Amino acid sequence: MTTTAQGPEREVRELDRVTIRFAGDSGDGMQLTGTQFTRTAAVFGNDISTFPDYPAEIRAPAGSLPGVSGFQISFSALDIHTPGDAPDVLVAMNPAALKANLVDLPAGGAIIVNSDAFTKANLSKAAYAANPLEDDSLKAYKLFRVPISTLNAAALEGLEMTGKQIDLTKNFFALGLMFWLYERSMEPTLRWIDEKFGSRPVIAEANRRALRAGYAFGDTTEMFHETYRVPKAKLPPGTYRNITGNEATALGFLAAAHAAKRPLFYGSYPITPASDILHQLSAYKSFGVKSFQAEDEIAAMGATIGAAYGGALALTGTSGPGVALKTEAIGLAVMTELPVVIVNVQRAGPSTGLPTKVEQADLFQAIFGRNGEAPLPVVAPATPGECFSMAIEASRLALKYMTPVMYLSDAFVGNGAEPWRVPSPDELPDISVPNSVKEDGPYLPYARDPETLSRPWAVPGTPGLEHRIGGLEKLNGLGTVSYDADNHHLMTKLRHDKVAGIANDIPDLEVFGPERGDLLILGWGSTYGALRSATERLQAEGKSVAHAHLRHLFPFPKNTGDVVRSYKTVLIPELNLGQLWFVIRGTYLVDALAYGRVRGKPFRISEIVDEANRLLAERS
Amino acid sequence: MTDMLTPAEPTKLTRKDFVAEQEVRWCPGCGDYSILAQTQKVMPDFGVPKENIVFISGIGCSGRLPYYMNTYGFHSIHGRAPTLATGLKIARPELMIWVATGDGDALSIGGNHFLHSMRRNVDFTMVMHNNRIYGLTKGQTSPTSEFGKRTKSTPMGSVDRPVMPLTLALAAEATFVARTVDTHTEHMQQTLEAAGRHRGASYVEVLQNCNIFNDGAWREFTERDVRDDRMLVLEHGKPLIFGKDRNKGIRLRGLHPEVVTIGEDGVTEADLAVHDQYAEDPYLALILSRMFWPEFPVPVGILREVDRPTYSDLVDAQIEQAIAKSGPGDLAKALLAGETWTVE
């Protein structure tokens, strides 16, 4: 950290990493504020990681604790993996936002509040007996009281707007202030305002003024004694963009269809937190993408199977409760051996659960959740950017092995963002597979490729290949209905072996750290960032700790057994009560330990470090 | 888009071309045999190559029909056939799709898909075998079973009120709605042929006899000796006349139909309602859909046939419009959407 002088009054402090949390009412535009800061930091060249955290209600009662919406962004000069355990700065637009978020702010952290919002009514809605800005309760923090509403209203004077409209722009005042504090350009946001509000000049002007007023306030007030600079991160060369997991998922499937040389079909029913994927794919009409908003989850799955039968790269997207409804039809896709991808952006369950919050508790559902012996491959992206490549991988497996594939994302990886090196279309793998054509002899819809055990794909419209498939057991080869006992055993084995054989066609499980040692931290999905950061920290302390992260959950990579047997202790942290843990123990007979938390939030790095240290101490 | 009804080279197929090798396994005497036979018989008339025809079914005795058709076929799961048909039609608009279903499959477990596939006007023909019973599960009450019906699951009589399938299809905005009877083979052929030629969601209810679990469900008005007096054969543009002596008819008093006798009380043919299957408004069709034995003769034939853009036509038109506006999609551009920056 260096300190440089900037004029007589203020210092500029250079930091490796800063974490800001914007918090306000769900109608205060905190998600937008956070997204704008993210874009600006990303375009500047920082590494970034974000955690949008919003309530399920669109507009919970204004000023109430359940209505608090937050957006945490960590931006850094280093390669970072998480949006930060705790914010350095909390921007609180009202008392409820302060109360709900203060618990995460470490002592010494900065709080910037909209002091205008600390009215008697708002304090009472947040269950504050006394105004925390006026007693000693915040003395452990650096508190900045900014009358944001008043200052913002003054800046917008003369514009033909209602008081309510003016109030809606105060988030941009706060954003402008943060841009000033962290030496960020306002340009990307000003451009965004032009694009977004071009047809509404008054609203555009109001947002520009609010942003500039916040920036100017920082510059002129004597409240702040220093500003901060977070230099560019050293990312691998390339062209980058900021991307969320859901965006990368949609783009990944668009690219997969290109790589498979097939039209893309997406059948879906709206559900949080997966609907973004439906929205994005629905906007790709000029690519010939056919998106279908079905009448329910079951219809979405049925239509997806119908489209796959017709030769499309067909997928459906949902969250856990939706997968529950699709389950019978997924079994049909297993039986008919048709290539479909089921995207599950997991959220906290069971039942409706916590619709906007993260959890990884659908792994059992993905691997086991069907009647009968119904195996299917399960993959899970670890980071927002990786959603792109895993979408292509899920499509590759579906097409090559003629099987439904479960793609397990979650609310954290789906909504979170990071810089993403944009690939060129020529970098995409060729994942195309041929349709069957008429050859001599009777057509055998269940004849199998000797290597993959995959069956041929005869799409309607192909002369001479008329055949019937369905949910009843099929005679091996000929594919007619068969109730024969031995045939059922054979077909069940074939379906099993086909999916199990995928282990030979996926990369080995990579280990970060020593190949043998005291502790292996094994994880999957969106916990990647916390587990990797915790491992780095433990390694820096000189501990013998490695991290391995599974992208293929069923079947596992071939070397998984060797990896988990190479450490004295295997710790499996998950945002569930031990689902991967159960499968790893069952598969490899290793005495792995679970660390499960289901709080609707991602792991903090520190809790993983603490748990690892506790185990290392206990077992040494 | 190719017009599926006029192939480049007319194929001259016969009924036999549509008979699959699979042995038919319905109970002897089942009405489904007739539905299969009439379906196979009319199939060559469409001139569609058989590789472009797909039969999709759900669960129930009707679900077996695709196995017996030498076309592409998909025996799916209970109630979901319309969903597969919808996805397939969106992906492959040039295919001719038939959905074989039953009263339990379409109206109970698949009721939601029935509603939505009809209102979307997905271009397929749904043929619903209505035997007023669950046959494959051996005799439980179905959504079309009469109130009070005693079945294995309703030993003291069903307390469910039955649904009226044609009313439901009309309410769901099906653009082709018709009824026929398993034993009226020629009528069924005409009806299936008209349904197959209709572009859009076509719904055909076939009154079908399950001789094992609900024998004679429709006998009271479908038997040869009584049917002329107890059924009303709809013909477009013709007055609603029925009866062996062609002297009975339906007159409308306001919204209420009534049975009248021509020549009695001064009633003439001019007093009778005239069938208009192409009417834009569905009112007459809705009245007909509610008429049933014994209060009324049971209408058979086409209740409604209107021309509306099909679902896949509209989907494809939006794609063409998007391409016309901004050119075919460019993946490289989509990947680079939003703001980008370069790291050297």
Side-chain angles (χ1 to χ4, degrees):
Chain A
M1 193 186 294
T2 59
T3 304
T4 53
Q6 186 220 38
E9 288 158 20
R10 272 188 203 106
E11 306 256 297
V12 178
R13 216 126 84 88
E14 194 166 301
L15 302 174
D16 283 344
R17 177 175 189 168
V18 169
T19 301
I20 303 175
R21 186 180 297 175
F22 294 96
D25 218 38
S26 56
D28 278 344
M30 290 298 99
Q31 301 305 318
L32 174 61
T33 310
T35 307
Q36 287 299 322
F37 199 98
T38 304
R39 280 160 46 102
T40 302
V43 172
F44 173 77
N46 292 130
D47 196 5
I48 53 154
S49 178
T50 71
F51 175 37
D53 189 19
Y54 54 96
E57 294 80 8
I58 301 301
R59 294 278 188 276
S64 68
L65 287 165
V68 173
S69 168
F71 189 105
Q72 184 160 313
I73 166 171
S74 202
F75 57 109
S76 177
L78 307 174
D79 180 18
I80 57 169
H81 311 303
T82 79
D85 276 8
D88 302 304
V89 185
L90 170 64
V91 179
M93 298 301 281
N94 67 10
L98 177 65
K99 186 158 205 176
N101 289 284
L102 193 61
V103 58
D104 293 329
L105 190 70
I111 304 171
I112 297 174
V113 294
N114 175 15
S115 55
D116 290 329
F118 283 67
T119 60
K120 215 169 174 183
N122 280 346
L123 287 164
S124 129
K125 279 184 212 162
Y128 270 120
N131 188 344
L133 307 186
E134 289 166 7
D135 58 25
D136 283 348
S137 59
L138 300 177
K139 69 174 181 220
Y141 310 96
K142 283 181 269 179
L143 176 65
F144 301 95
R145 302 177 187 84
V146 185
I148 292 177
S149 301
T150 321
L151 291 168
N152 188 50
L156 269 58
E157 228 174 65
L159 291 179
E160 273 192 35
M161 294 174 77
T162 64
K164 196 171 174 191
Q165 284 177 313
I166 289 170
D167 198 55
L168 283 174
T169 63
K170 66 179 185 296
N171 58 328
F172 271 37
F173 185 99
L175 180 63
L177 176 57
M178 299 311 283
F179 279 160
W180 173 79
L181 197 58
Y182 291 98
E183 293 204 321
R184 290 299 137 133
S185 161
M186 287 187 284
E187 281 311 313
T189 299
L190 289 169
R191 276 201 301 275
W192 179 86
I193 292 171
D194 284 345
E195 279 165 31
K196 178 88 181 169
F197 301 116
S199 59
R200 287 181 290 168
V202 177
I203 304 288
E205 176 60 14
N207 280 290
R208 277 194 292 267
R209 282 202 207 173
L211 187 73
R212 290 195 170 116
Y215 197 96
F217 172 78
D219 210 19
T220 51
T221 183
E222 293 185 3
M223 200 177 274
F224 303 98
H225 302 296
E226 49 188 20
T227 62
Y228 306 90
R229 182 178 295 156
V230 178
K232 290 181 187 193
K234 288 180 190 65
L235 298 169
T239 301
Y240 282 79
R241 63 177 280 196
N242 172 39
I243 202 161
T244 69
N246 280 343
E247 285 169 353
T249 300
L251 261 184
F253 285 112
L254 182 71
H258 176 89
K261 303 180 184 76
R262 286 183 187 269
L264 187 66
F265 177 91
Y266 188 66
S268 187
Y269 185 72
I271 185 169
T272 303
S275 302
D276 290 344
I277 299 170
L278 171 63
H279 305 162
Q280 193 171 337
L281 288 173
S282 299
Y284 289 144
K285 295 212 188 322
S286 65
F287 290 85
V289 174
K290 292 182 173 178
S291 64
F292 170 59
Q293 182 180 326
E295 60 269 28
D296 57 32
E297 295 282 0
I298 298 170
M301 191 68 231
T304 299
I305 293 171
Y309 178 61
L313 173 60
L315 38 135
T316 185
T318 185
S319 190
V323 174
L325 284 162
K326 293 176 193 297
T327 296
E328 188 198 14
I330 297 171
L332 178 66
V334 170
M335 192 58 135
T336 53
E337 302 189 47
L338 284 170
V340 295
V341 180
I342 302 109
V343 175
N344 176 356
V345 187
Q346 298 166 95
R347 65 191 219 187
S351 187
T352 314
L354 308 174
T356 61
K357 308 295 182 190
V358 63
E359 205 162 275
Q360 297 181 296
D362 298 346
L363 182 63
F364 282 169
Q365 182 192 49
I367 300 178
F368 305 118
R370 289 161 296 284
N371 64 304
E373 294 286 349
L376 54 77
V378 180
V379 301
T383 70
E386 200 178 280
C387 288
F388 180 82
S389 48
M390 289 314 286
I392 297 170
E393 171 68 354
S395 306
R396 178 185 78 90
L397 294 177
L399 296 169
K400 184 169 176 184
Y401 293 90
M402 292 290 283
T403 176
V405 175
M406 192 80 75
Y407 170 100
L408 286 182
S409 158
D410 65 36
F412 177 46
V413 82
N415 290 327
E418 67 175 358
W420 178 61
R421 194 190 66 77
V422 181
S424 123
D426 335 324
E427 293 173 45
L428 300 173
D430 181 359
I431 60 168
S432 62
V433 296
N435 288 338
S436 293
V437 289
K438 175 75 181 149
E439 286 168 14
D440 291 341
Y443 179 58
L444 301 175
Y446 281 77
R448 288 177 193 278
D449 178 283
E451 191 197 333
T452 61
L453 298 181
S454 170
R455 81 173 187 93
W457 196 359
V459 304
T462 316
L465 302 190
E466 294 84 2
H467 66 288
R468 274 65 59 189
I469 58 171
L472 289 170
E473 183 60 282
K474 297 293 172 285
L475 186 65
N476 185 31
L478 201 56
T480 49
V481 174
S482 166
Y483 298 116
D484 180 82
D486 291 334
N487 177 73
H488 177 54
H489 185 76
L490 172 67
M491 292 298 276
T492 304
K493 275 284 288 167
L494 282 168
R495 287 187 291 265
H496 170 273
D497 292 351
K498 177 178 83 166
V499 173
I502 290 173
N504 298 317
D505 192 18
I506 56 177
D508 270 354
L509 177 60
E510 274 182 46
V511 172
F512 172 75
E515 277 181 26
R516 326 199 134 258
D518 293 340
L519 178 68
L520 173 73
I521 299 178
L522 179 66
W524 66 281
S526 73
T527 56
Y528 170 82
L531 305 191
R532 177 54 54 98
S533 301
T535 307
E536 285 171 352
R537 214 175 276 181
L538 291 157
Q539 288 173 352
E541 291 169 13
K543 312 271 167 58
S544 164
V545 178
H547 172 215
H549 212 73
L550 287 159
R551 270 79 173 179
H552 293 86
L553 280 309
F554 196 87
F556 290 127
K558 265 190 308 192
N559 65 330
T560 306
D562 293 338
V563 171
V564 296
R565 290 187 196 102
S566 298
Y567 300 86
K568 284 185 202 153
T569 304
V570 177
L571 172 66
I572 305 184
E574 296 174 85
L575 302 177
N576 61 48
L577 295 185
Q579 299 194 2
L580 176 64
W581 169 78
F582 187 90
V583 181
I584 288 284
R585 286 172 68 103
T587 309
Y588 300 111
L589 291 172
V590 292
D591 188 17
L593 301 170
Y595 180 80
R597 290 294 181 273
V598 284
R599 297 171 307 191
K601 289 180 176 187
F603 281 130
R604 288 188 296 269
I605 300 164
S606 56
E607 67 184 307
I608 304 300
V609 170
D610 290 350
E611 177 65 8
N613 275 326
R614 192 184 68 78
L615 288 175
L616 288 168
E618 193 179 278
R619 302 193 151 210
S620 64
Chain B
M1 210 176 65
T2 50
D3 184 346
M4 64 180 181
L5 300 180
T6 50
E9 285 174 42
T11 37
K12 286 184 189 120
L13 298 171
T14 65
R15 179 187 157 275
K16 275 179 96 177
D17 290 306
F18 290 94
V19 177
E21 278 176 34
Q22 182 107 16
E23 175 200 353
V24 182
R25 286 197 202 159
W26 283 310
C27 309
C30 175
D32 287 346
Y33 281 95
S34 170
I35 299 176
L36 174 64
Q38 311 326 315
T39 305
Q40 288 167 334
K41 196 154 190 185
V42 301
M43 228 20 79
D45 298 350
F46 300 114
V48 178
K50 62 181 182 171
E51 67 269 18
N52 285 351
I53 300 173
V54 185
F55 276 78
I56 303 179
S57 63
I59 298 294
C61 297
S62 64
R64 301 301 176 96
L65 189 130
Y67 292 122
Y68 311 137
M69 295 297 301
N70 191 16
T71 62
Y72 281 88
F74 203 137
H75 178 206
S76 77
I77 44 179
H78 212 11
R80 317 305 173 202
T83 72
L84 275 88
T86 300
L88 179 60
K89 190 70 192 183
I90 295 171
R92 299 287 305 281
E94 75 279 18
L95 298 174
M96 181 190 218
I97 301 177
W98 294 75
V99 170
T101 185
D103 41 315
D105 192 56
L107 302 178
S108 191
I109 192 165
N112 199 31
H113 313 308
F114 174 84
L115 160 64
H116 292 281
S117 59
M118 292 294 138
R119 63 134 174 134
R120 290 190 183 107
N121 201 28
V122 182
D123 181 22
F124 62 66
T125 302
M126 177 186 283
V127 178
M128 192 188 90
H129 307 203
N130 184 5
N131 55 20
R132 310 189 95 176
I133 197 78
Y134 279 71
L136 198 64
T137 49
K138 301 185 179 173
Q140 299 84 12
T141 182
S142 103
T144 55
S145 294
E146 51 280 35
F147 183 80
K149 185 170 187 70
R150 287 170 194 268
T151 70
K152 284 180 186 162
S153 59
T154 55
M156 294 175 69
S158 165
V159 293
D160 286 23
R161 301 216 172 260
V163 69
M164 309 199 68
L166 298 177
T167 311
L168 200 63
L170 291 164
E173 301 293 331
T175 52
F176 182 101
V177 178
R179 177 193 278 145
T180 187
V181 183
D182 57 1
T183 48
H184 302 188
T185 54
E186 266 178 49
H187 188 265
M188 199 198 310
Q189 288 163 26
Q190 288 162 15
T191 308
L192 292 178
E193 180 139 357
R197 290 191 184 282
H198 175 72
R199 291 197 85 244
S202 307
Y203 171 75
V204 179
E205 177 192 20
V206 184
L207 305 181
Q208 173 244 332
N209 192 43
C210 171
N211 55 322
I212 305 297
F213 294 107
N214 200 19
D215 195 23
W218 313 111
R219 183 180 294 154
E220 268 185 70
F221 54 88
T222 57
E223 292 286 277
R224 191 166 291 278
D225 53 336
V226 294
R227 72 192 209 191
D228 288 343
D229 282 328
R230 297 180 178 181
M231 298 187 73
L232 169 67
V233 181
L234 301 171
E235 288 178 86
H236 176 71
K238 301 272 175 69
L240 303 179
I241 294 180
F242 67 103
K244 253 189 208 110
D245 304 327
R246 303 294 291 167
N247 66 340
K248 288 186 177 159
I250 302 294
R251 181 170 73 180
L252 290 179
R253 284 172 77 103
L255 295 174
H256 298 277
E258 60 180 2
V259 176
V260 291
T261 307
I262 299 168
E264 277 180 20
D265 302 326
V267 173
T268 69
E269 205 177 293
D271 294 321
L272 305 182
V274 175
H275 186 45
D276 179 4
Q277 72 192 48
Y278 305 115
E280 259 309 306
D281 60 56
Y283 307 123
L284 178 63
L286 280 164
I287 289 170
L288 290 167
S289 77
R290 308 289 299 178
M291 287 168 38
F292 214 77
W293 182 257
E295 291 79 13
F296 292 100
V298 175
V300 290
I302 302 165
L303 279 79
R304 179 165 165 80
E305 183 176 4
V306 291
D307 195 20
R308 286 184 188 163
T310 72
Y311 191 75
S312 48
D313 287 350
L314 295 169
V315 168
D316 289 344
Q318 285 193 345
I319 287 173
E320 280 166 29
Q321 199 186 331
I323 292 171
K325 196 179 159 207
S326 52
D330 178 340
L331 181 62
K333 267 193 204 159
L335 293 171
L336 288 164
E339 252 156 320
T340 59
W341 67 97
T342 306
V343 174
E344 302 289 333

